[in-house]
Each structure stands twice: as C-alpha cells, then as structure tokens.
C-alpha cells in the first residue's frame, strides 16, 4: 500500500495512477477517487520529530574523513524542516554550501518505547524517500546542527509511504539535474533499521508518524540555485525537489 497525504491534508492510497481517498493514514476508503497527476502531494506523514543518523554508511564516513562509528550518531530535525515532493526551495541566505544527502526514511506506525530489536519492525508503518539537506559550512561552525540540518525545507519527504517493502537491500540513487551522484544499496548500512529503532526507543518515545532517517551513502555534494535533486529508492519511488534559481 502506498499512503499519501495531499491537498489541504487529506489522506489516500495510490493505486496505479489513481488516489483513493481514505479516512486518515491507511484508514478506510471513502468513495472519492482522484487522478494522481492532479493532486498536490504533501509530506506523507505528520511526525512530532525526525530522528536522523549520521555516518551510517562506511564509505560516507570515509569521504567525510571520519571514523566508522561504534554507536549511532544521532541528531534531530523538527517538523518545520519537512518539504513536499515537487517543492521549490529557496537557497538559504545563511549558507554558501547547501548539500544533498539521499536517504531511506522509516515511518513509525505504533508508539515505540523500549522496544527490542527483534520486535522493532512490527512498529513500522512503512518506508519513504528523504533528502537530508545540510548547510555544510555552518554545520562545522555552529554549536549545534539546528540551522545546518533543520532550517525550513531541509527535509523533503515522499512521495508516499510504501508499506509493503523489505528495506534491507534496496538500491538508492540520488540524481542532480538527472546525473547520478549517489548509488548504493541499503544493505551497506552500518547500523540496521531494527537496531536503530530499538536504540532510539530505549531513551526516546517514538510516536506514530515519527520518522527515522537512516543515513546517507557516499557521493554527497553541493546544490546550486536552479538545481533539481531527486532520490529514488527501489521498491519505494522517487522524490524530487528543486532549488529556486538565483533571483
Ligand atoms: Mg544525513
């Protein structure tokens, strides 16, 4: 099932090129159907927080000149950072180094508090594509990463939550203006999704709709005004946004 949010906050399920409108996320169907091409998609979940993992792919840690971590390195994005599929995002005035990071996102389905690794997947609603947009220059100079990682629009998410996919070995590619920049498999993660969910929920309650970004593979880089960036994950879909052209 592909769960979408669209318009002014309606929920639906995508079947082929049609959106069947539902009562709530994954809820019962109404009679209404709309052509997918005619709805304005929103981020497909309403999280209370977005928990992110840094350095979860060995080669990305290496390209950043960092050690392979022994424990997950976590940070947060707030819901203000969400951006809809197809958004046009202004180039932020406070940075000269806006980077893309294509990532697999996990969407929580049931409240998680101290859930063990072997039970963690039963609490997952599904998976979607994310861009962990990052102001790389201020990430190095600010005390914390609030501005570098959680500015408005720094977490494009979508196009939908796919509930019927196994996340462990999917091809993930990021494109800038149609050119491949990241091409990896989710099997290369250092910390697995069940491990990460158990780890986070050991100290922080995860609510339905909350999002876990699972880290980016190697190949991160700069975005310039006017660039189109897309992340495509096998079995899930393709999310693309654009950086507004320089005015
Ligand atoms: Mg990241």
């Amino acid at each position: 099932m592909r769960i979408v949010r669209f318009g002014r906050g309606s929920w639906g399920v995508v079947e082929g090129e049609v959106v069947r409108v539902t009562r709530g996320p994954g809820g019962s169907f109404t009679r209404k159907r709309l052509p997918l091409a005619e709805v304005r998609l929103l981020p497909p979940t309403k999280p209370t927080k977005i928990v992110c993992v840094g350095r979860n792919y060995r080669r990305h840690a290496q390209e950043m000149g960092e050690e392979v971590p022994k424990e997950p390195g976590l940070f947060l994005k707030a819901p203000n950072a969400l951006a809809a599929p197809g958004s046009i995002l202004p180039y932020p005035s406070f940075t000269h180094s806006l980077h893309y990071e294509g990532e697999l996102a996990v969407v929580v389905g049931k409240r998680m508090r101290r859930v063990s690794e072997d039970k963690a997947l039963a609490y997952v609603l599904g998976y979607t594509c994310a861009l962990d947009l990052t102001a790389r220059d201020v990430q190095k100079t600010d005390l914390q990463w609030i501005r570098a990682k959680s500015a408005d629009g720094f977490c494009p998410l979508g196009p939908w939550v796919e509930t019927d996919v196994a996340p462990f070995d999917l091809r993930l590619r990021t494109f800038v203006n149609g050119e491949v920049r990241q091409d990896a498999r989710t099997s290369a993660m250092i910390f697995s999704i069940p491990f990460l969910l158990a780890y986070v929920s050991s100290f922080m309650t995860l609510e339905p709709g909350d999002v876990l970004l699972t880290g980016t593979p190697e190949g991160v880089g700069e975005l310039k005004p006017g660039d189109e960036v897309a992340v495509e994950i096998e079995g899930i879909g393709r999310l693309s946004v654009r950086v507004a052209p320089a005015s």
Side-chain angles (χ1 to χ4, degrees), residues 110-190:
K110 284 186 285 189
R111 174 179 271 203
M112 299 187 76
R113 194 158 169 267
R114 295 192 207 120
V115 172
S116 63
E117 192 175 338
D118 61 313
K119 296 198 173 71
L121 286 188
Y123 291 76
V124 170
L125 176 65
Y127 304 89
T128 189
C129 309
L131 281 159
D132 172 15
L133 297 182
T134 303
R136 198 68 79 198
D137 44 1
V138 303
Q139 186 186 22
K140 295 184 178 116
T141 52
D142 282 357
L143 175 64
Q144 294 201 343
W145 292 355
I146 293 174
R147 184 167 63 153
K149 289 286 196 179
S150 193
D152 289 343
F154 272 28
C155 190
L157 197 74
W160 40 65
V161 177
E162 173 58 76
T163 62
D164 301 320
V165 68
F168 302 112
D169 186 22
L170 302 175
R171 188 181 191 186
L172 182 158
R173 285 181 297 170
T174 307
F175 303 82
V176 177
N177 302 323
E179 198 176 284
V180 180
R181 299 290 181 84
Q182 296 184 287
D183 187 352
R185 300 197 71 87
T186 57
S187 52
M189 284 182 196
I190 297 168

Side-chain angles (χ1 to χ4, degrees), residues 52-56 60 75 77 100-103 131-134 136 139 145 149 213-217 220:
C52 310
V53 190
R55 287 179 281 163
N56 200 27
H60 173 59
F75 61 94
K77 286 179 190 272
Y100 59 83
E101 298 186 355
E103 307 199 6
L131 281 159
D132 172 15
L133 297 182
T134 303
R136 198 68 79 198
Q139 186 186 22
W145 292 355
K149 289 286 196 179
L213 297 198
T214 56
T216 199
V220 300

Side-chain angles (χ1 to χ4, degrees), residues 91-98 137 222 224:
Y91 195 101
S93 59
F94 59 82
T95 180
H96 299 288
S97 185
L98 180 66
D137 44 1
E222 299 245 352
K224 299 291 182 198

